[in-house]
Amino acid sequence: MGSIAIIGAQWGDEGKGKIVHLLTENADVICRYQGGNNAGHTVVAGGKKYVLHLIPSGILKEGKICIIGNGLVVNPYALQDEIDLLKTLGIECGSRLFISDRASLIMPYHIELDHAYEESLGIGTTKRGIGPAYSYKYARMGLRPCDLEEEDYVKTTVGTVLDEVNATLVNRFGRNPLDLSRVLEDIRAYRDILKPFVTDTSLLLNRCINEGKNVIFEGAQGILLDIDFGTYPYVTSSNPSTGGICTGLGISPKSIGRVLGVLKAYTTRVGEGPFPTELEDKTGEFIRKKGGEFGASTGRPRRCGWFDAVAARHALRTAGIEELAMTKLDVLDGLEKIRVCTQYQVDGQRTDEFPANVAVLARVEPVYEEHEGWDNLGGVKNYKDLSKSAHRYIDRIEDLLGVRVAIVSTGSDEKETIQRTNLWD
Ligand code: GDP
Ligand code: IMO
Ligand code: MG
């Protein structure tokens, strides 16, 4: 049996979808363990582009079992849209998609609250109801797929919760209250959508693991958006980090094999919050344009900047990442000089550590070193065919992070990849 966790090691959008798809070839089961449809995972294969939000990217390969674990927040309407879209592309989810009976449901009022809070907090969320759905889960005011057949339970629970929600919407935000009967209608629709897919996924996954099946744990977002280790409060509301795998799927830590971090050769971020190596100049614009750096979920322009080894080291350590996939090296093609942040200067001192507080992070000055640029890396498939300057860049990043780059990605297509190690060995 083998398993690989594929985890974003920056602020999301590192190219996890591509790497998951690549490694799915030898996998039997692909699981999401946290997040929701705030994710946008792009796969380019056979000349077509697919963007997955909630369903694991493994669904694109025939016959693979896909699991949406208990650690996710699920919007059944978004799920239905995704299933329908896949169907038009000739991909059936039917008998191989499973959703945990213990996942949390995103209710219409969570989305309303996300919009309302966003006006005052300005986190730059995806407005998909993710934060409120997790908040209500932890406040023990959530609903789960396993509740949906219990009509009395649903009615009582939602009645109580809606009192809370409406008090906030009306008194705090001056918005309209939500109507109980409308919400109950949505819940009936939710039940019908989810019914064919709901099961005890912990039971199913443990059985697969015991049978020796190969499993991929597909992280969403990235460690710098982790609720505990990210740039709080400018984070998402779940644990993309490795710890989220056990709690989000109901499996033993012993079932987690290799932990592969995915990093871009530079850095991007969507939404608000400090970003020490951000480039608000022509180079940033060049990277955004060349890298197509616009959100796969919301279409927002992504903020772009140089590679940040301080942030990456923090991500690797807190998530226990032991190997890396470096994506989008080709995007830096044509730049004369490429910079890497090796340390921060803050309040008159140099540091190797990533500050916990965002006000401190907002005043750090990156300490840079400069590297020779390269050209024509797009689509290169053999490591030896990369230029010397690209080799030096990768070597230096391995050196700074103390972790080997096992996969180098040189284009969005699955074929545009260099695999230096067979991760399934
Ligand atoms: P994810 O959320 O981590 O799955 O990443 P996204 O799909 O949101 O964003 C990554 C974007 O980069 C997608 O448009 C991918 O098709 C694209 N991509 C992935 N790897 C490469 C690469 O090596 N080179 C280029 N040029 N694009 C890539
Ligand atoms: P993938 O899986 C990049 C960001 C949002 C916002 C913050 C909180 O494609 O890498 P939320 O809606 O989660 O409460 O928003 O997190 N964010 C992402 N940024 N990639 C993602 O997912 C993201 N999912 C959430 O932009 O800053
Ligand atoms: Mg994305």
Side-chain angles (χ1 to χ4, degrees), residues 12-13 16 39-41 296 302:
D13 303 326
K16 299 175 292 293
H41 295 180
R302 295 175 182 152

Side-chain angles (χ1 to χ4, degrees), residues 302-338:
R302 295 175 182 152
R303 300 155 65 192
C304 299
W306 297 121
F307 188 86
D308 182 342
V310 180
R313 269 195 303 262
H314 164 80
L316 267 49
R317 177 173 39 78
T318 53
I321 289 167
E322 292 169 328
E323 278 156 312
L324 289 173
M326 182 180 287
T327 61
K328 306 194 91 160
L329 208 65
D330 56 297
V331 172
L332 302 180
D333 267 10
L335 288 174
E336 213 172 296
K337 298 281 179 202
I338 296 169

Side-chain angles (χ1 to χ4, degrees), residues 44-178:
V44 179
K48 280 194 199 151
K49 177 171 153 177
Y50 307 83
V51 183
L52 281 310
H53 299 284
L54 188 54
I55 299 176
S57 305
I59 201 77
L60 301 178
K61 291 216 166 118
E62 225 175 292
K64 308 294 176 182
I65 295 172
C66 289
I67 291 179
I68 292 178
N70 57 282
L72 278 89
V73 285
V74 176
N75 177 340
Y77 291 148
L79 177 81
Q80 186 67 63
D81 287 347
E82 204 159 318
I83 291 171
D84 291 346
L85 182 71
L86 286 169
K87 200 168 182 179
T88 64
L89 299 168
I91 297 156
E92 288 290 340
C93 298
S95 56
R96 59 198 182 94
L97 176 66
F98 299 93
I99 300 174
S100 170
D101 51 1
R102 292 179 170 87
S104 294
L105 294 169
I106 299 182
M107 306 300 288
Y109 43 80
H110 294 144
I111 299 173
E112 191 73 15
L113 286 167
D114 202 358
H115 280 263
Y117 277 113
E118 197 42 29
E119 274 170 27
S120 63
L121 296 178
I123 303 291
T125 76
T126 59
K127 297 186 182 163
R128 304 276 158 93
I130 308 295
Y134 276 115
S135 303
Y136 276 67
K137 167 182 175 171
Y138 287 105
R140 293 158 295 184
M141 290 195 285
L143 267 191
R144 312 189 294 175
C146 59
D147 303 330
L148 298 179
E149 299 288 347
E150 296 295 318
E151 286 190 19
D152 290 344
Y153 178 87
V154 167
K155 209 167 167 185
T156 316
T157 308
V158 176
T160 312
V161 175
L162 213 52
D163 286 345
E164 288 278 327
V165 170
N166 283 339
T168 309
L169 286 177
V170 175
N171 303 335
R172 163 79 177 84
F173 292 109
R175 291 185 168 231
N176 292 328
L178 272 83

Side-chain angles (χ1 to χ4, degrees), residues 3 20 28 74 112 115 137 153 177 194 215 235 259 320 322-323 337 340 347 386 397 401 408 417:
S3 81
V20 169
D28 305 296
V74 176
E112 191 73 15
H115 280 263
K137 167 182 175 171
Y153 178 87
L194 294 177
V215 181
V235 290
V259 183
E322 292 169 328
E323 278 156 312
K337 298 281 179 202
V340 171
D347 302 335
L386 293 175
I397 285 177
L401 306 185
V408 180
T417 316

Side-chain angles (χ1 to χ4, degrees), residues 268-285:
T268 63
R269 157 159 226 181
V270 204
E272 301 306 314
F275 178 178
T277 61
E278 182 168 14
L279 289 163
E280 291 175 284
D281 60 6
K282 275 200 322 229
T283 311
E285 194 52 47

